[in-house]
C-alpha cells in the first residue's frame, strides 16, 4: 500500500511538473543561430545535449574564436558538423573540426600533425584513409542524380576571358597583390581580405559588371556601359563575358530545337505514330548569388517570352517547397508543354 501511495504521489508530481524525473524543457529540438550561442550560452551549457549539429562548419576552423571555445564546452553525447566546403590538406583545419567533435580523442594539434605529416604520397593516402569513415562527402554527382530523373551526359566547354574581363582581372590582382602573397598563418583580418579578393576574381570570370564599381573611372574601356543598367539589354553587355556569351549561344540553340519540335508535333497527322518526347527544361546552377543576378537580368532582357524560376537561399521556405514540388511533378510526369 505504501508503494502504491508513493507511485500515486510521483504521478501527481509529474503532472504538476515538480518530479525530479519530469522533463525540464518542452521541446525535443532547439534551433539556434551562432549569435544565439553567445547570447544564451549559460542556459545552453546547463543542458546535457544528446546530439548537436553545427551547420556552416567552415567558420569553426579557428579554435581561438569565442564561438569555437563556447561550443567546445557544450555537453553533448554526439556531434555532427555540416559544411559545403571540401576538406583540404590543411591538417590544422581538420584537427580543429575533429577536436570540436571529440576533444578527448583528438586533444592536441601537435600530436595530430606529428602523426599525419603529409610528407609524401603514401602519407597523404594514409591521411585520406583516416578521414574516410569520419568525413561523409556528398559530391556534385550525388546531388545531380537526386535532382534530375533523366540520364545525362557531361560536356566540359572551356571559355576564354574577354578583353574587358582580362583587364579587370589584372587590375584586381595588382590592387590586392600584398594580400595574395600572405602566408597561411597571416592575421585573420588579412585572410578575410584574401578570401574576398578570391571571390571577386571568380566573379570576374563570370561577368565583370559588378566588380567594375570598385575600379577607378577610365581604368577599363567600356566601364561606363557596364555601370549603366539601362544598357544591360544590349548585345555588348552579353559579349563582355565569355561565359555569358557561351550560355547565350547554347540557350538560343536549345530554344530553337524546342520550338521546331513543337511545330513538328502540330504537323503530325492524326493516326500517325507519335515520336517519343521529353520535357524541355533547362537548369542553370551557380555557386554565386551575383551570377544568378546576372543570369536573371539576361533572361528578362533577352528571353521575355520564356518563363523561368529562381531557387536560392533567400527564397522563403514555403515558396521553396512549392517550387521544388512543381519541378519534381513536371520531371516525373514527362509534361513537355511547359517553357520554364
Amino acid at each position: 500500500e505504501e508503494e502504491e501511495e508513493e507511485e500515486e504521489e510521483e504521478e501527481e508530481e509529474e503532472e504538476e511538473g515538480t518530479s525530479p524525473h519530469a522533463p525540464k524543457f518542452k521541446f525535443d529540438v532547439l534551433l539556434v543561430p551562432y549569435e544565439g550561442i553567445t547570447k544564451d550560452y549559460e542556459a545552453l551549457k546547463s543542458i546535457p545535449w544528446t546530439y548537436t549539429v553545427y551547420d556552416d562548419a567552415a567558420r569553426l576552423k579557428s579554435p581561438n574564436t569565442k564561438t569555437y571555445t563556447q561550443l567546445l564546452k557544450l555537453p553533448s553525447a554526439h556531434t555532427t558538423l555540416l559544411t559545403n566546403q571540401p576538406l583540404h590538406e590543411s591538417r590544422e583545419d581538420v584537427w580543429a573540426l575533429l577536436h570540436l567533435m571529440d576533444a578527448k580523442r583528438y586533444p592536441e594539434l601537435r600530436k595530430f600533425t606529428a602523426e599525419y605529416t603529409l610528407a609524401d604520397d603514401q602519407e597523404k593516402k594514409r591521411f585520406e584513409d583516416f578521414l574516410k569513415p569520419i568525413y561523409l562527402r556528398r559530391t556534385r554527382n550525388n546531388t545531380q542524380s537526386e535532382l534530375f530523373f533523366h540520364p545525362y551526359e557531361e560536356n566540359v566547354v572551356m571559355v576564354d576571358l574577354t578583353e574587358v574581363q582580362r583587364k579587370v582581372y589584372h587590375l584586381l590582382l595588382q590592387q590586392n597583390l600584398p594580400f595574395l602573397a600572405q602566408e597561411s598563418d597571416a592575421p585573420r583580418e588579412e585572410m578575410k581580405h584574401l578570401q574576398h579578393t578570391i571571390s571577386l576574381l571568380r566573379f570576374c570570370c563570370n561577368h565583370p559588371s559588378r566588380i567594375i564599381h570598385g575600379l577607378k573611372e577610365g581604368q577599363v574601356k567600356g566601364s561606363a556601359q557596364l555601370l549603366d543598367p539601362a544598357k544591360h539589354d544590349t548585345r555588348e553587355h552579353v559579349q563582355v563575358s565569355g561565359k555569358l556569351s557561351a550560355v547565350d549561344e547554347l540557350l538560343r540553340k536549345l530554344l530553337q530545337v524546342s520550338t521546331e519540335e513543337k511545330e513538328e508535333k502540330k504537323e503530325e497527322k492524326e493516326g500517325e505514330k507519335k515520336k517519343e518526347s521529353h520535357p524541355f527544361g533547362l537548369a542553370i546552377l551557380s555557386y554565386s548569388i551575383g551570377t544568378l543576378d546576372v543570369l536573371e537580368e539576361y533572361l528578362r532582357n533577352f528571353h521575355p517570352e520564356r518563363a523561368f524560376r529562381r531557387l536560392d537561399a533567400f527564397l522563403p521556405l514555403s515558396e521553396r517547397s512549392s517550387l521544388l514540388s512543381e519541378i519534381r511533378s513536371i520531371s516525373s510526369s514527362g509534361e513537355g508543354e511547359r517553357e520554364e
Side-chain angles (χ1 to χ4, degrees):
E1 292 179 355
E2 291 179 355
E3 291 178 357
E4 290 178 356
E5 290 178 357
E6 290 177 357
E7 289 177 358
E8 290 176 356
E9 290 177 358
E10 287 182 359
E11 290 177 357
E12 291 176 356
E13 289 176 344
E14 288 179 354
E15 291 177 355
E16 297 173 356
T18 59
S19 170
H21 303 293
K24 296 181 179 179
F25 304 98
K26 296 182 179 180
F27 59 81
D28 295 315
V29 178
L30 181 64
L31 305 178
V32 185
Y34 282 115
E35 293 75 15
I37 298 293
T38 301
K39 183 178 180 181
D40 301 311
Y41 174 63
E42 292 301 325
L44 296 172
K45 188 175 67 171
S46 66
I47 303 174
W49 300 100
T50 302
Y51 212 120
T52 50
V53 180
Y54 301 132
D55 191 19
D56 193 15
R59 65 185 292 177
L60 302 176
K61 291 180 180 181
S62 177
N64 299 322
T65 62
K66 185 177 182 179
T67 301
Y68 185 99
T69 304
Q70 291 179 333
L71 293 179
L72 190 62
K73 294 179 180 178
L74 288 184
S76 176
H78 305 279
T79 299
T80 294
L81 306 180
L82 305 177
T83 176
N84 61 354
Q85 296 184 8
L87 288 180
H88 299 292
E89 295 181 352
S90 171
R91 295 167 298 170
E92 291 77 9
D93 290 348
V94 173
W95 174 84
L97 299 179
L98 294 177
H99 182 68
L100 183 60
M101 289 192 299
D102 194 342
K104 292 183 178 179
R105 181 174 293 183
Y106 310 102
E108 296 182 16
L109 173 61
R110 180 178 56 82
K111 291 183 178 179
F112 186 79
T113 53
E115 183 175 358
Y116 300 100
T117 61
L118 306 184
D120 51 36
D121 292 341
Q122 185 176 354
E123 281 294 311
K124 292 179 181 179
K125 179 66 168 57
R126 190 170 72 89
F127 187 59
E128 291 175 359
D129 293 340
F130 157 73
L131 287 177
K132 280 182 180 179
I134 305 171
Y135 180 39
L136 305 179
R137 187 180 182 188
R138 193 163 180 254
T139 64
R140 182 184 63 177
N141 289 336
N142 299 142
T143 306
Q144 288 178 331
S145 63
E146 293 173 9
L147 285 176
F148 306 115
F149 291 86
H150 303 292
Y152 67 92
E153 64 180 44
E154 181 175 354
N155 296 289
V156 180
V157 180
M158 305 303 293
V159 180
D160 291 331
L161 297 178
T162 64
E163 183 180 351
V164 173
Q165 283 178 295
R166 284 196 177 95
K167 182 66 174 178
V168 175
Y169 197 97
H170 290 157
L171 286 171
L172 286 171
L173 287 177
Q174 293 173 5
Q175 292 178 357
N176 298 280
L177 193 58
F179 295 99
L180 295 174
Q182 291 292 336
E183 299 292 338
S184 58
D185 58 347
R188 184 174 181 80
E189 290 301 319
E190 294 185 4
M191 291 303 294
K192 284 184 178 180
H193 191 107
L194 171 61
Q195 293 171 357
H196 177 65
T197 302
I198 293 174
S199 297
L200 291 178
L201 292 172
R202 287 176 176 171
F203 191 79
C204 176
C205 294
N206 293 330
H207 202 285
S209 57
R210 284 165 171 75
I211 299 175
I212 233 163
H213 283 273
L215 301 177
K216 295 180 181 179
E217 186 176 353
Q219 281 187 303
V220 180
K221 185 179 180 181
S223 61
Q225 179 172 315
L226 289 172
L227 289 171
D228 186 0
K231 297 182 179 179
H232 286 189
D233 59 351
T234 62
R235 298 305 305 173
E236 289 77 9
H237 188 70
V238 175
Q239 295 168 354
V240 79
S241 165
K243 279 189 177 181
L244 189 58
S245 297
V247 169
D248 177 62
E249 183 178 354
L250 178 61
L251 186 56
R252 288 178 180 277
K253 289 183 178 179
L254 290 174
L255 294 178
Q256 182 181 359
V257 171
S258 174
T259 303
E260 290 175 354
E261 288 181 349
K262 286 185 179 182
E263 291 176 353
E264 288 178 3
K265 288 179 185 179
K266 291 180 181 178
E267 294 174 357
E268 285 179 350
K269 293 181 180 180
E270 197 173 3
E272 288 184 358
K273 185 179 179 181
K274 292 186 177 181
K275 297 180 181 179
E276 183 183 359
S277 63
H278 299 282
F280 175 76
L282 177 66
I284 303 180
L285 312 179
S286 176
Y287 293 106
S288 167
I289 293 293
T291 301
L292 291 180
D293 292 339
V294 170
L295 290 169
E296 181 176 358
E297 186 179 55
Y298 161 78
L299 291 172
R300 291 187 188 280
N301 290 333
F302 294 94
H303 299 283
E305 76 286 356
R306 295 282 178 170
F308 68 90
R309 303 288 188 270
R310 174 168 173 170
L311 177 62
D312 61 34
F314 295 101
L315 194 67
L317 183 59
S318 58
E319 295 182 29
R320 177 193 297 268
S321 301
S322 176
L323 178 55
L324 288 173
S325 298
E326 180 183 350
I327 293 173
R328 292 192 184 100
S329 64
I330 293 173
S331 183
S332 59
S333 65
E335 185 180 333
E337 298 302 319
R338 301 295 295 270
E339 294 185 350
E340 284 84 356

